[in-house]
Amino acid sequence: MSFKSEINRRRTFGIISHPDAGKTTLTEKLLLFGGAIQEAGAVKSNKIKKGATSDFMEIERQRGISVATSVLAFEYNGIKINILDTPGHKDFAEDTFRTLTAVDSVIVVIDVAKGVEEQTEKLVEVCRMRNIPMIVFINKMDREGKDAFDLLDEVEQKLGLKVVPLSFPIGMGYDFKGIYNIWEKNVNLFSGDSRKDIEETIEISDLASPELDKIIGEKAATTLREEIELVDGIYPKFDKAAYLDGQIQPVFFGSALNNFGVRELLDCFVDIAPKPRAKQSEERLVQPDENKFSGFVFKIHANMDPNHRNRLAFVKIVSGEFKRNAPYLHVRSNKKVKFSSPNAFFAEKKEIVDISYPGDIVGLQDTGSFKIGDTFTEGEIINYKGVPSFSPEHFRYINNADPLKSKQLNKGIDQLMDEGVAQLFTLELNGRKVIGTVGALQYEVIQYRLEHEYGAKCTYENLNVFKACWVEPADKKSDEFKEFLRVKQRFLAKDKRNQLVFLADSQFSLQMTEQKYPNIKFHSVSEFN
Ligand code: G4P
C-alpha cells in the first residue's frame, strides 16, 4: 500500500466523558465490532474505583492497566482505528488534556439520564478551543432519561456546541423501541436482550411509508414523524466540512451496553472522521504526507518494575514514516537517537514494529531523557506546540524526609514531573520546591512512587495558592516589570521550563496585581504565544 493510502486510512481519536457515562463500555463494543476482541469484559476499566483513593495497590494496578489500554488499535473495513485512552478521573485531567493534543477527533459520551456533567464540560471546552471535530453519543437509551430535545438543548447550551442529530430515539427507557437512523435512513429495532449482538435493521427510505406504522406501531410512528419534522426544522443539515472544522457536531443515540447504535456510530465515524491532520509547530505547519518523519511525545509511562527504570514515551507520528533503527534527532537535546524496539499498539497487546505512519502512536523506550512535548525529526528543527500546562488546583511544599537521600528525591521528583504526574515550581525567594496538582490523589501517588521507585521519602506542607499564572511582560526591561519582580518576589516561582510564574494567593490579589501592572499579562496556561 502506498504511503498516502496508509495515511488516508488512519483515524486516531479519543473518547471523552464524565466517569460512568459509558466510555469503557463503548470502547469495548467498538473493539468487538472491529473483531479485535472476542468477548465483552476483555477491556479492563482503567477508572479508579470510588473510595480507592488511598489504596496504593489499586493505584499500581491502575497504572498497569493504563499502559495496556493507552492506545487501542484495530482494523474496521480497511480503516486503521487508533483509540487513545483518556482517564476519566478528574484528578488525572491533565493527562487527558495532553492526550487530546494527539487525537484528530473525539467522541463525547453523555449519559441520557445525567445529561451534561462537569468533566465533560471541561474536556469539551479544550476540544472546542482547538477546533477538534467531535461526534456526540448519547448513551444508556435503555434507561429512563431526559427528553431528546431537552438534552440536545442542554448539550448546545452547556457545551457550546452546534448539534446535528444523525439519529433519533423512538421512545425511551421502558418504551424504548429503537432508533431512526437519519444518516442511513433506516430503523433499528431494540430487542432489549443484552446478549444479542446485532439488532434488527429495517430500511425505511420514506418516513411516510405505512410500513413504519406496522413495525413500531401507529402511535410511535406518528410521534417519530413529528419529531423528525422538528429536527429538520430546528437543526442545520449535516455538512462534513463544517464538522471537520469544528463548527457542527453530529449526535447519535444508543446504548453501548446493549450494543445498540454502536455499529451506526462506527460506520458514520469511519466515513466522516478526519484522517491525520496537519500540525502547527513553532516554526511551520507540518503536513502528514511530507516525506520526512516528525512526531512528538504526549505521554510518558514509567515502568512498573522498580528495578528497571525504563520508561515508555508515547509518540504521535505527525509526518513521514517512522522506521525502526533509523537515526532521529531529539530536538530539545540536539542529540541523535535510534530506537531498536519501538512498540506499536493493538487491542490488547503491544508489538515491536519496523514501520509506522502518520496518525499512529509508537511507544519508545526511554531511560529518562525525554519529556512530554519533545519533538523527534529527521534533522529539521521543529517544535510542536500545544502540550500546555494548566494552573494546578492544589499546591504543597515538598520536603525531604530523609536527608541522606536528597539526590534520589531530586531525581525522583524530576522524572515524575517529566511524566506529567504533577507540576513543579521553584520559589524565587528561597529555592523551595512546590508541587502543584489537579487532584489531591496525586500527592499520595508521588509519595508512594518516590519511596518505592527511588527510595526517597518526602513530606508535604500546605501552601495557600489560589492560582498559578504564567507571567508575560510587555517589556522585560520596563520599570513596571522590575517593580513587579521586587514587590511580588515572595509569590514568584519558576516552572520546569524556567518560565516565570506568579502564585496568586487569592482571586482578589490576582485582580489587584493585574490592575496595578497593566502591561504584564497573567496567563492561566503555560503556552500563550
Ligand atoms: P466509564 O468508562 O465512562 O466510567 O463508564 P463504564 O463504561 O464503566 O460504564 C459505567 C456503568 O454504566 C457500568 O455499570 C456500565 O455497565 C453501565 N452502562 C454503560 N453503557 C450502558 C447502557 O447503554 N445502558 C445501561 N443501562 N448501562 C450502561 P456498572 O454497574 O457501574 O459497572 P459494571 O459492573 O456493569 O461493569
Side-chain angles (χ1 to χ4, degrees):
M1 201 178 293
S2 74
F3 173 51
K4 282 216 167 129
S5 337
E6 287 288 2
I7 300 174
N8 288 342
R9 73 184 198 93
R10 277 166 167 75
R11 305 284 181 274
T12 302
F13 76 107
I15 304 181
I16 56 176
S17 72
H18 193 86
D20 275 348
K23 182 166 71 75
T24 312
T25 313
L26 179 64
T27 307
E28 186 170 275
K29 294 302 156 88
L30 292 173
L31 293 173
L32 275 170
F33 271 110
I37 52 170
Q38 308 315 324
E39 56 184 310
V43 178
K44 296 283 173 291
S45 167
N46 74 347
K47 61 184 170 183
I48 302 216
K49 294 230 158 51
K50 291 178 199 91
T53 45
S54 51
D55 182 344
F56 299 121
M57 287 323 289
E58 179 68 12
I59 292 169
E60 284 296 278
R61 191 183 69 79
Q62 295 296 346
R63 282 215 297 139
I65 291 171
S66 82
V67 170
T69 61
S70 283
V71 185
L72 295 161
F74 65 98
E75 299 254 345
Y76 181 74
N77 289 347
I79 301 287
K80 163 101 190 282
I81 295 178
N82 296 313
I83 307 182
L84 306 196
D85 187 46
T86 55
H89 195 288
K90 84 169 180 13
D91 285 8
F92 293 93
E94 279 272 324
D95 229 16
T96 302
F97 292 145
R98 281 190 295 258
T99 299
L100 290 177
T101 63
V103 302
D104 293 306
S105 72
V106 302
I107 293 181
V108 185
V109 181
I110 291 172
D111 181 326
V112 68
K114 294 193 179 139
V116 173
E117 295 172 89
E118 183 199 343
Q119 203 56 17
T120 323
E121 275 185 66
K122 284 197 188 147
L123 295 172
V124 166
E125 195 186 327
V126 174
C127 296
R128 242 190 21 233
M129 268 162 33
R130 305 218 173 108
N131 283 341
I132 298 177
M134 287 180 255
I135 296 181
V136 179
F137 182 72
I138 304 208
N139 190 30
K140 307 197 185 180
M141 290 307 295
D142 56 312
R143 286 200 184 155
E144 286 306 323
K146 301 188 178 187
D147 169 74
F149 285 108
D150 288 348
L151 197 53
L152 291 171
D153 268 1
E154 191 177 322
V155 169
E156 292 211 319
Q157 271 158 29
K158 283 203 183 158
L159 298 181
L161 302 183
K162 188 106 201 79
V163 300
V164 179
L166 289 187
S167 78
F168 209 80
I170 307 170
M172 174 193 297
Y174 183 73
D175 287 328
F176 183 52
K177 292 199 163 53
I179 280 176
Y180 175 64
N181 190 327
I182 303 173
W183 176 248
E184 294 176 357
K185 292 213 176 340
N186 56 33
V187 170
N188 293 303
L189 291 187
F190 185 51
S191 71
D193 177 355
S194 61
R195 277 157 302 173
K196 209 169 155 194
D197 272 345
I198 307 291
E199 69 282 1
E200 206 179 340
T201 303
I202 302 164
E203 298 296 324
I204 298 275
S205 48
D206 181 7
L207 266 185
S209 150
E211 192 68 5
L212 186 67
D213 303 68
K214 271 197 227 142
I215 303 168
I216 61 173
E218 210 173 299
K219 193 164 160 246
T222 312
T223 313
L224 179 66
R225 286 187 190 106
E226 285 166 7
E227 285 176 336
I228 297 299
E229 209 177 301
L230 260 179
V231 168
D232 280 344
I234 303 175
Y235 301 102
K237 286 264 164 299
F238 175 72
D239 174 63
K240 190 169 164 181
Y243 152 71
L244 290 176
D245 202 29
Q247 304 300 320
I248 58 163
Q249 290 76 26
V251 179
F252 284 86
F253 292 84
S255 165
L257 187 65
N258 297 290
N259 234 336
F260 202 82
V262 178
R263 185 198 54 78
E264 290 72 16
L265 174 72
L266 184 58
D267 281 344
C268 178
F269 174 82
V270 294
D271 208 1
I272 66 171
K275 53 193 186 206
R277 308 207 287 174
K279 192 163 171 75
Q280 189 66 47
S281 70
E282 276 169 26
E283 294 75 15
R284 65 185 183 86
L285 186 69
V286 181
Q287 298 292 342
D289 59 357
E290 290 182 17
N291 285 330
K292 296 215 163 131
F293 159 75
S294 70
F296 66 97
V297 179
F298 66 95
K299 178 177 182 140
I300 290 183
H301 217 292
N303 200 314
M304 298 285 294
D305 178 355
N307 297 322
H308 296 91
R309 201 51 68 61
N310 279 3
R311 308 188 294 182
L312 201 59
F314 289 77
V315 171
K316 161 95 183 271
I317 300 172
V318 178
S319 66
E321 290 171 353
F322 174 91
K323 296 193 181 107
R324 189 162 82 91
N325 277 327
Y328 291 128
L329 176 70
H330 177 229
V331 175
R332 186 173 48 83
S333 68
N334 197 25
K335 284 197 180 126
K336 280 264 156 60
V337 281
K338 266 187 190 175
F339 301 99
S340 57
S341 49
N343 285 304
F345 300 89
F346 299 97
E348 291 166 288
K349 56 182 192 302
K350 53 183 174 40
E351 266 173 21
I352 291 174
V353 276
D354 288 324
I355 188 159
S356 298
Y357 299 93
D360 283 341
I361 310 299
V362 281
L364 305 178
Q365 301 295 335
D366 165 35
T367 48
S369 31
F370 304 152
K371 281 187 191 177
I372 286 173
D374 280 0
T375 305
F376 295 98
T377 68
E378 287 191 27
E380 190 180 343
I381 305 296
I382 293 177
N383 288 285
Y384 283 111
K385 296 172 110 174
V387 192
S389 303
F390 294 81
S391 173
E393 288 177 21
H394 304 264
F395 296 82
R396 290 184 196 169
Y397 286 117
I398 182 163
N399 300 323
N400 188 0
D402 181 351
L404 295 177
K405 296 284 171 62
S406 70
K407 217 170 125 194
Q408 285 86 336
L409 182 77
N410 286 336
K411 183 169 181 193
I413 294 176
D414 232 38
Q415 295 209 340
L416 292 182
M417 297 306 126
D418 286 350
E419 261 181 55
V421 175
Q423 292 180 57
L424 178 72
F425 301 99
T426 310
L427 291 189
E428 290 279 86
L429 188 67
N430 51 18
R432 284 191 79 180
K433 289 184 165 143
V434 173
I435 303 271
T437 68
V438 178
L441 179 58
Q442 264 94 342
Y443 290 107
E444 297 177 34
V445 175
I446 292 168
Q447 200 167 34
Y448 177 82
R449 289 190 57 191
L450 282 173
E451 190 167 343
H452 287 80
E453 292 171 31
Y454 299 89
K457 287 202 169 98
C458 74
T459 56
Y460 298 113
E461 212 178 299
N462 274 337
L463 176 67
N464 177 31
V465 176
F466 158 70
K467 197 172 178 184
C469 297
W470 281 265
V471 179
E472 184 192 21
D475 177 5
K476 276 193 174 154
K477 296 205 175 84
S478 67
D479 287 342
E480 178 183 329
F481 187 54
K482 282 184 194 150
E483 187 197 305
F484 166 76
L485 292 179
R486 190 171 44 79
V487 174
K488 295 291 176 192
Q489 192 188 23
R490 226 158 47 85
F491 301 96
L492 294 177
K494 289 272 171 64
D495 72 359
K496 270 222 84 182
R497 290 155 68 195
N498 230 9
Q499 298 189 102
L500 188 66
V501 178
F502 174 54
L503 302 175
D505 57 0
S506 69
Q507 170 115 42
F508 178 70
S509 90
L510 177 59
Q511 273 169 358
M512 292 303 286
T513 311
E514 280 174 327
Q515 274 172 22
K516 193 160 172 217
Y517 304 101
N519 297 309
I520 301 176
K521 283 195 187 137
F522 297 89
H523 302 276
S524 51
V525 181
S526 67
E527 247 180 36
F528 42 79
N529 40 31

